[in-house]
Amino acid sequence: KKFLNFSDFDTTYISPNRYNYALMLDHFTNYEYYSVGNDDQRLRFSPNPHNKIGAYFGWRWIFLGWAVDTDWLYGKKSKKKRGTEFDLSLYSSKLGVDIFYRSTGNDYKIHKVSGFSDEIPSNYSEDFNGLKVKMKGLNLYYIFNNRRFSYPAAFSQSTNQRCNAGSFIAGFSVSTHNLNFDYTKLPEIIQETMNPGMKVKHIKYTNISLNAGYAYNWVFARNCLACLSFNPAVAYKTSRIEKTEEREADDWYKNFNIDFILRAGVVYNNSKYFVGTSFLGRTYDYYRDNFSLNNGFGTLQIYAGFNFYLKKEHRKKK
């Protein structure tokens, strides 16, 4: 029964949310990269940072919302396809769940090239619309010192941290990644010396990981909180690499690697109104003797909102 009591915490360290609902405006910037390598050659792709604005509605542990690109706010017009992102987060004092879906557009750039022609400069940058990526997954984590440490206080504003506290955190994550790669759209100067092992057209892999780390909440002023969390993850990867028509068979790879999860946040929350910023970064790495695939993404958020509709137990009796 104690395990199922998600609101059992020490009120000296954590004060509960007195409201049922919340509304929040959120501006966030997405950073992302994908890197494909074979032997001594490596190509790194990344889109320009995506700026989006969204509105979110919260009910106790649940925050659900939708965000759109903000290029039109700045008068920017582009024929490039924009990406799509969906996130559903559920938080409690003990458990947290993140469900996410990301679909990229066609606005990638080649940012780093190594192992190809010496004629390619070190600061080489070129548009590339031959990469399409879809990713979906689920993160589940457990907070051990949940009576004194509040993860939601830093990242979902559903409680308030009153005193400094830290906690060990353990989690489980599963995600699927689909990358369509049309190498024929690469510049000729790259294709001329491209290793045949890098000529793939479809990369699909599943990532299953167990992670453990530590998080700390620092209350540096009244109603002000800073949080830092770092979780290395041992990940099992199974990958299907579909070769080009010139290659006879697809390759399957299975291996263990180390991934990383980083969270950081600063928030002001007086229980009624809140404003803050947070960053979530995650890397996925896969290595074999003759092939490697690395990708990572980060999200920087700036948000402001308010809670409303007092819970019954906090309403003044007439």
Side-chain angles (χ1 to χ4, degrees):
K1 291 183 179 179
K2 289 184 178 180
F3 179 81
L4 295 176
N5 186 354
F6 293 153
S7 298
D8 178 26
F9 44 74
D10 187 339
T11 54
T12 301
Y13 285 80
I14 302 170
S15 60
N17 185 8
R18 298 183 297 124
Y19 298 88
N20 281 301
Y21 307 112
L23 285 176
M24 178 175 68
L25 288 178
D26 189 355
H27 182 280
F28 57 95
T29 305
N30 286 334
Y31 303 90
E32 181 182 2
Y33 74 87
Y34 283 85
S35 180
V36 177
N38 184 285
D39 296 330
D40 295 328
Q41 293 185 336
R42 179 161 297 277
L43 293 172
R44 177 164 170 154
F45 308 93
S46 60
N48 290 325
H50 287 174
N51 292 288
K52 296 185 178 183
I53 189 169
Y56 290 80
F57 172 77
W59 176 73
R60 298 195 178 187
W61 302 338
I62 301 174
F63 261 89
L64 180 63
W66 190 262
V68 296
D69 285 283
T70 57
D71 284 348
W72 59 274
L73 288 176
Y74 309 115
K76 297 180 180 180
K77 295 182 180 180
S78 175
K79 295 181 180 180
K80 295 179 179 180
K81 180 182 176 182
R82 298 184 177 94
T84 301
E85 177 173 326
F86 173 81
D87 292 277
L88 172 64
S89 298
L90 298 92
Y91 299 94
S92 73
S93 61
K94 295 183 178 181
L95 296 175
V97 179
D98 300 314
I99 301 171
F100 57 88
Y101 169 83
R102 290 179 174 85
S103 176
T104 64
N106 63 354
D107 58 346
Y108 279 89
K109 285 182 175 291
I110 304 170
H111 278 298
K112 289 186 179 180
V113 179
S114 60
F116 292 85
S117 172
D118 294 335
E119 297 178 9
I120 301 176
S122 58
N123 59 349
Y124 183 84
S125 180
E126 186 77 24
D127 289 339
F128 180 66
N129 63 358
L131 182 65
K132 306 292 187 299
V133 181
K134 289 185 179 181
M135 179 175 63
K136 56 185 176 182
L138 177 146
N139 298 325
L140 175 67
Y141 57 85
Y142 179 78
I143 302 166
F144 288 89
N145 188 22
N146 49 74
R147 297 197 74 250
R148 294 186 174 183
F149 171 86
S150 176
Y151 222 0
F155 299 106
S156 72
Q157 304 81 46
S158 56
T159 59
N160 289 74
Q161 186 81 44
R162 295 305 182 189
C163 298
N164 299 341
S167 177
F168 288 102
I169 295 175
F172 168 81
S173 177
V174 59
S175 59
T176 60
H177 306 249
N178 279 278
L179 296 85
N180 289 301
F181 179 51
D182 186 353
Y183 81 94
T184 63
K185 294 184 178 181
L186 289 168
E188 290 186 6
I189 193 172
I190 293 178
Q191 291 190 50
E192 289 173 355
T193 55
M194 190 174 186
N195 190 311
M198 290 183 65
K199 295 180 179 180
V200 300
K201 60 181 179 180
H202 186 210
I203 303 171
K204 180 179 181 181
Y205 72 94
T206 299
N207 187 90
I208 301 172
S209 67
L210 295 175
N211 64 79
Y214 191 79
Y216 189 78
N217 278 346
W218 174 38
V219 182
F220 59 92
R222 180 177 175 81
N223 299 322
C224 295
L225 172 66
C227 178
L228 181 64
S229 172
F230 182 69
N231 289 45
V234 178
Y236 172 75
K237 311 242 172 50
T238 175
S239 309
R240 179 176 181 267
I241 311 300
E242 185 178 352
K243 303 296 182 61
T244 59
E245 295 179 359
E246 290 79 7
R247 305 296 295 274
E248 294 181 357
D250 298 346
D251 281 348
W252 285 86
Y253 298 110
K254 297 179 181 180
N255 207 348
F256 286 92
N257 293 109
I258 301 296
D259 297 335
F260 297 96
I261 306 169
L262 173 69
R263 291 178 186 256
V266 179
V267 60
Y268 169 81
N269 187 353
N270 66 4
S271 77
K272 176 66 176 179
Y273 301 98
F274 56 85
V275 61
T277 182
S278 66
F279 177 80
L280 167 63
R282 180 150 193 169
T283 65
Y284 300 91
D285 297 314
Y286 183 84
Y287 293 95
R288 293 287 289 186
D289 293 338
N290 62 347
F291 182 83
S292 66
L293 172 65
N294 318 100
N295 69 285
F297 64 87
T299 301
L300 176 66
Q301 295 178 273
I302 301 174
Y303 56 85
F306 63 94
N307 299 302
F308 63 99
Y309 195 72
L310 281 167
K311 296 177 181 178
K312 186 175 181 181
E313 60 269 27
H314 297 292
R315 298 174 193 167
K316 294 181 179 179
K317 296 181 179 180
K318 295 181 180 180

